Amino acid sequence: MNETDHSAASPVSRADVRRPVTTRRSRALKGRMRPPGDKSMSHRAFILGLLARGETSIEGLLEGDDVMRTGAACRALGAIVKRVGEGRWTVVGRGLGSLVGPREALDFGNAGTGSRLMMGVVAGHDVTATFDGDASLRKRPMRRVLDPLVLMGAEVLAAAEGGCCPIVLKGTPDPRPVEYTTPVASAQIKSAVLLAGLSAPGATSVIEKEATRDHTEKMLRHFGATVSTESISEHGRRIILEGRPQLVAAPVVVPADPSSAAFPLVAALIVPGSDVLVEGMMMNPLRIGLLATLLEMGADIEITDRRVEGGEEVADLRARASLLRGIEVPAARAPSMIDEYPILAVAAAFARGETRMRGLHELRVKESDRLAAVAAGLKAVGVAQVVEGDDLVVGGTAGAGTVGAVKGGATIATNLDHRIAMSFLVMGLASQAPIAIDDEGMIATSFPAFKSEMSKLGAEVS
Ligand code: S3P
């Protein structure tokens, strides 16, 4: 990629060119891997770079398609965005209030986070922008973000049926500060309101009944804004942002993404004899629900070398093949592992006894309907499962290490969903017969080197 190229690091599939991939039962996985940079933080690093005055330098950025789209949008809104090395980027921002109107539609591809956060940015500026994306993004609910932004003074000039993309949003340089209670636990809604609130006079606050990832709050503070957080109930929080701060460029170091680390970790747990070290994983407490769950299931995961990198605690995780047992995962844990349920379902399929995952309604509105996709995929590979309301129950088998615990021998429909693709590819490493996915294209949105990194550990993937 050249210095100003904002296309994907590895191009995602065009809708008409599918690239199937197959995984096969593998010998013990061994070695170490550093997963790619955190996707949530990478989007936010670009966006804060756009809004700050001066040059923001970023290290460890995820060079996946989703984040590249956000970089391209930042450029269309007036920032100078450059690649200066592997995972190293600079953004020269225009400063809060100084964005330019993009000449063309902002195409966010598959990226819900990039599009929704940028809607918040546009809502607080005197610009009009068109938001669009691929077939998956065009189906995703956007009213949840547009509703509060309209309360703040933005106008939706056009939208597709159901308030979906393509959407034309007109911002205002003078948004109203609001106190907004998010109707669902969503860091994207919270972040969009806070980003719009940057331009509002006075305090904007967001109340969330269940705490969600706090990267926006932390990064806003890092760039000079005043953001306070108070606890309002066992799981709930109020986040208060003082409007119209001076945002000043700041260096950002992006740690390894726990949502991507989940794949080598679970692979090591289910492939007999494995011993894998996953390096530099972000340990933000609002992101590690999967780790807590796997440990409860009896996973042999050793957490070593806890340290702080770029304002986040990180650690190296050593995972060894384990005899897992089925458990009940409480609904309250969902926000801290919302993207990890597909891979948890894979682990659960190898566990002894049933695993019940409660409160998964938000899975229906991710890159695909993940609840339906996981249930259909498990059924296809011979794993007992049932969806009961918002719960997913996975039957479990005889325990990891039991040869042929999962039959396999099916091709899984990925429906433009990277996490469905990677989860079932991991499952194929320990199933009796190979497992194929119909298209690897979307893996490039979050983990472009997934296949080669897994192969290096000894995974049979082709
Ligand atoms: C994200 C928030 C989550 C998550 C997504 C990334 C973020 O979405 O699923 O992959 O970076 O804010 P919701 O906010 O819709 O739960």
Side-chain angles (χ1 to χ4, degrees):
M1 197 179 336
N2 70 34
E3 292 206 337
T4 50
D5 185 357
H6 296 273
S7 59
S10 26
V12 298
S13 297
R14 297 195 347 250
D16 54 340
V17 186
R18 291 189 170 214
R19 289 182 280 143
V21 182
T22 302
T23 47
R24 295 183 168 70
R25 201 156 84 217
S26 304
R27 280 197 292 275
L29 304 178
K30 301 271 178 185
R32 43 179 67 213
M33 181 204 288
R34 187 182 165 96
D38 185 64
K39 184 149 77 73
S40 295
M41 282 185 70
S42 295
H43 283 297
R44 287 158 173 84
F46 269 161
I47 290 173
L48 269 290
L50 161 72
L51 294 174
R53 228 173 245 294
E55 182 176 289
T56 289
S57 59
I58 309 168
E59 261 179 59
L61 186 96
L62 164 64
E63 294 179 327
D65 188 66
D66 275 14
V67 176
M68 294 299 107
R69 303 278 181 159
T70 295
C74 289
R75 196 156 69 151
L77 289 161
I80 301 167
V81 182
K82 283 191 184 165
R83 185 177 198 255
V84 293
E86 203 188 322
R88 294 177 49 237
W89 292 69
T90 58
V91 183
V92 178
R94 303 191 50 102
L96 194 59
S98 315
L99 304 192
V100 299
R103 275 174 298 182
E104 288 171 8
L106 304 176
D107 181 353
F108 281 94
N110 197 244
T113 307
S115 55
R116 290 179 173 138
L117 268 54
M118 205 58 98
M119 285 179 193
V121 170
V122 164
H125 282 82
D126 193 12
V127 295
T128 298
T130 300
F131 291 80
D132 206 356
D134 68 8
S136 156
L137 193 68
R138 281 183 169 203
K139 282 193 216 143
R140 298 185 68 184
M142 294 296 170
R143 280 210 182 115
R144 49 175 56 198
V145 172
L146 296 175
D147 286 349
L149 299 181
V150 166
L151 278 180
M152 297 176 84
E155 278 179 74
V156 180
L157 302 184
E161 209 187 316
C164 292
C165 283
I167 288 166
V168 184
L169 185 65
K170 183 176 186 301
T172 167
D174 204 17
R176 278 184 287 279
V178 292
E179 175 165 278
Y180 191 72
T181 302
T182 54
V184 286
S186 164
Q188 295 178 357
I189 304 176
K190 167 177 67 178
S191 300
V193 172
L194 293 175
L195 289 167
L198 283 171
S199 306
T204 292
S205 47
V206 177
I207 295 175
E208 44 182 13
K209 289 174 212 135
E210 290 161 287
T212 62
R213 64 192 71 194
D214 58 357
H215 307 301
T216 301
E217 298 91 300
K218 284 177 124 173
M219 220 180 276
L220 280 168
R221 282 187 205 110
H222 184 57
F223 279 73
T226 303
V227 185
S228 56
T229 300
E230 48 195 48
S231 176
I232 53 165
S233 60
E234 193 192 347
H235 301 293
R237 291 180 167 189
R238 175 190 281 114
I239 299 106
I240 305 149
L241 163 79
E242 300 300 330
R244 303 198 170 159
Q246 285 286 334
L247 293 179
V248 182
V252 178
V253 179
V254 182
D257 193 330
S259 300
S260 297
F263 301 108
L265 284 176
V266 170
L269 299 178
I270 63 172
V271 176
S274 296
D275 186 349
V276 168
L277 189 73
V278 172
E279 294 175 328
M281 186 182 107
M282 188 211 295
M283 295 289 283
N284 180 316
L286 294 165
R287 293 292 301 281
I288 52 172
L290 176 73
L291 180 58
T293 303
L294 292 173
L295 290 171
E296 274 176 32
M297 293 172 81
D300 180 355
I301 300 177
E302 202 185 320
I303 302 167
T304 60
D305 199 10
R306 281 183 184 261
R307 57 207 187 264
V308 175
E309 273 177 19
E312 290 285 356
E313 193 181 347
V314 303
D316 298 339
L317 270 60
R318 181 173 181 187
R320 282 174 273 214
S322 306
L323 281 171
L324 301 174
R325 55 182 174 271
I327 60 160
E328 185 167 319
V329 188
R333 200 177 287 165
S336 68
M337 54 178 297
I338 193 66
D339 293 331
E340 281 70 82
Y341 285 101
I343 190 66
L344 173 62
V346 169
F350 289 91
R352 194 182 298 276
E354 185 177 286
T355 295
R356 177 178 287 267
M357 305 166 208
R358 290 195 180 276
L360 305 192
H361 47 90
E362 274 298 294
L363 258 60
R364 297 186 197 277
V365 291
K366 293 297 176 189
E367 283 81 332
S368 69
D369 177 343
R370 285 188 178 153
L371 202 44
V374 169
L378 291 177
K379 186 170 178 213
V381 298
V383 176
Q385 39 59 50
V386 61
V387 175
E388 286 176 5
D390 291 335
D391 295 357
L392 174 66
V393 186
V394 178
T397 49
T402 310
V403 172
V406 169
K407 276 203 224 105
T411 299
I412 306 299
T414 52
N415 302 318
L416 296 177
D417 192 324
H418 55 135
R419 302 211 193 273
I420 296 297
M422 290 184 275
S423 297
F424 282 97
L425 288 178
V426 166
M427 186 174 234
L429 302 176
S431 59
Q432 231 176 83
I435 294 180
I437 57 161
D438 61 357
D439 184 25
E440 67 166 333
M442 286 304 135
I443 292 175
T445 62
S446 67
F447 199 158
F450 174 78
K451 262 193 339 188
S452 59
E453 289 292 323
M454 291 302 293
S455 302
K456 276 190 223 157
L457 297 178
E460 299 279 349
V461 49
S462 56

